[in-house]
Amino acid sequence: MKPPAQTLAEGCESLGLELTADQQDRLLRYLALLYKWNRVYNLTAIRDETRSVSHHLLDSLAVVPHLRGQRVLDVGTGAGLPGIPIAIARPDISVVMLDSNHKKLAFVTQAIGELGLANASVERTRVEQWESAGQFDTVISRAFAELPDFLRLAGHLVAPGGCLLAMKGLHPHEEIAAMPQGFSCERVLALNVPGVEPRHLVVVRAATETG
């Protein structure tokens, strides 16, 4: 079995991401923190190191090339996925991780501090109740809700010209068909994540006002 560092390095190369040794080290330190806290809190069901690199780190990093703008919101971040890997890979952008689970955000806050992520922050609230001081260029969700609910609850937080990104497994044909009015599916991207079953990224834009 390959060591986690090798799995991560080869996975990043496969995804076309050029991460420094320090960035890769921070990603592995994040995993170590995740498993340390997992002894007390139920943060992840994945116990195998190789699977955790592919299903947590590489799965999150696969969306990095598709982020837009300088402000990213991770809705329903849980243990910080994909928000923390994004913040590590893109120190030039601001990443806000939102969740209503106090224990999970306590972990995320600790991880941000220990990893020195000056570009990351958390918000403990329900997304439909949150009125941000500014809107976001990219609003992303990994395991928050089905696509129609995600758009209804978080759509008000995307900036004009921005996008909502929904991370999915199989192509979500039925969810796309049930999208609420005011949103359009720009495209669905097949993501080739090493070691992970088929993954798709749904790119949605909010309809712009005309007239």
Side-chain angles (χ1 to χ4, degrees):
M1 182 180 295
K2 296 177 183 178
Q6 182 180 351
T7 302
L8 177 60
E10 292 177 355
C12 289
E13 183 178 359
S14 177
L15 293 172
L17 295 175
E18 295 183 4
L19 300 187
T20 65
D22 177 67
Q23 286 173 309
Q24 293 184 44
D25 178 65
R26 286 190 187 193
L27 288 165
L28 294 173
R29 285 167 57 199
Y30 162 68
L31 275 192
L33 283 171
L34 178 64
Y35 284 104
K36 178 182 177 182
W37 278 61
N38 206 48
R39 297 175 195 146
V40 179
Y41 300 114
N42 183 27
L43 299 175
T44 176
I46 298 177
R47 300 293 193 269
D48 178 80
E49 283 188 330
T50 300
R51 289 191 76 239
S52 66
V53 171
S54 59
H55 286 66
H56 290 329
L57 299 183
L58 298 179
D59 190 43
S60 297
L61 293 170
V63 305
V64 167
H66 309 291
L67 301 173
R68 299 181 189 177
Q70 295 297 305
R71 300 192 74 223
V72 174
L73 174 66
D74 175 11
V75 177
T77 190
L81 298 163
I84 285 183
I86 288 173
I88 292 172
R90 290 290 307 275
D92 57 311
I93 66 176
S94 169
V95 181
V96 177
M97 287 166 275
L98 183 149
D99 206 289
S100 60
N101 187 300
H102 176 76
K103 290 181 178 179
K104 289 181 178 179
L105 280 193
F107 163 72
V108 174
T109 301
Q110 181 72 18
I112 288 172
E114 290 201 27
L115 297 172
L117 301 180
N119 62 325
S121 61
V122 302
E123 288 288 341
R124 184 168 67 88
T125 185
R126 297 182 66 85
V127 63
E128 66 270 25
Q129 299 173 346
W130 190 44
E131 292 295 337
S132 172
Q135 292 176 304
F136 294 84
D137 304 302
T138 300
V139 178
I140 190 167
S141 170
R142 183 171 182 258
F144 170 65
E146 291 197 349
L147 181 60
D149 292 329
F150 170 46
L151 300 179
R152 277 191 288 264
L153 296 174
H156 66 290
L157 295 169
V158 66
C163 67
L164 297 105
L165 302 179
M167 299 171 67
K168 297 291 180 179
L170 296 174
H171 193 297
H173 295 282
E174 294 183 0
E175 292 183 36
I176 292 173
M179 282 172 45
Q181 290 186 342
F183 299 93
S184 61
C185 179
E186 183 176 294
R187 53 183 171 157
V188 181
L189 301 167
L191 301 178
N192 295 313
V193 184
V196 183
E197 63 275 3
R199 297 291 283 163
H200 290 82
L201 186 68
V202 184
V203 182
V204 176
R205 294 182 68 91
T208 56
E209 297 292 335
T210 58

